[in-house]
Amino acid sequence: MANQGGGPPPAAQIPTSFGHELRSCLRCRLVKTYDQFRESGCENCPFFQMEDDHERVVDCTTPNFTGIISVMDPTRSWAARWLRIGIFAPGCYTLAVSEALPHEMQNICEEERIPYVPPKRG
């Protein structure tokens, strides 16, 4: 989520390993391990409450993504702006995901007035 305090947003957890257990949030594309999402949720999408409901980790994340970019200062990074992740916390992000959020999770975004842009179908 955008930082409302004016200073830099706190950094998201970086993945503790880069193996097959990596997952990407389907809304913001933050990359962490399954265990990290299960333990602390998504720093950009706290309204999904992944840390409270482990099924949500499966519903809101995917192991299928393309590429990883590490962003230290999203507000100043041209790459972060190009990828539309410039408002999110510093961290590791995917270049692309091909799956859409389940409709139930899209409804949560709508209720919270949080933008969600589904992936382009190519």
Side-chain angles (χ1 to χ4, degrees), residues 3 26 42 117 122:
N3 181 29
L26 289 169
C42 177
V117 179

Side-chain angles (χ1 to χ4, degrees), residues 17-122:
S17 94
F18 283 90
H20 65 281
E21 64 276 1
L22 284 182
R23 297 185 70 87
S24 171
C25 177
L26 289 169
R27 179 186 164 263
C28 70
R29 302 194 318 255
L30 180 68
V31 174
K32 302 193 315 186
T33 65
Y34 173 85
D35 288 340
Q36 287 175 303
F37 277 117
R38 194 185 74 226
E39 291 166 8
S40 60
C42 177
E43 286 84 347
N44 298 311
C45 307
F47 44 87
F48 286 150
Q49 300 174 334
M50 290 186 222
E51 66 279 7
D52 295 335
D53 181 353
H54 298 167
E55 281 297 310
R56 288 255 173 113
V57 175
V58 175
D59 292 342
C60 296
T61 66
T62 179
N64 303 313
F65 55 84
T66 304
I68 294 179
I69 182 173
S70 295
V71 182
M72 296 186 62
D73 188 349
T75 61
R76 296 184 58 187
S77 166
W78 69 266
R81 288 192 305 272
W82 181 68
L83 292 167
R84 296 188 176 121
I85 57 173
I87 63 169
F88 297 137
C92 294
Y93 292 86
T94 66
L95 300 179
V97 295
S98 57
E99 299 172 43
L101 266 174
H103 289 291
E104 177 186 346
M105 299 299 111
Q106 290 183 37
N107 291 340
I108 290 173
C109 290
E110 195 173 303
E111 289 167 10
E112 296 285 329
R113 295 193 168 123
I114 302 293
Y116 169 65
V117 179
K120 293 181 174 74
R121 299 286 176 211

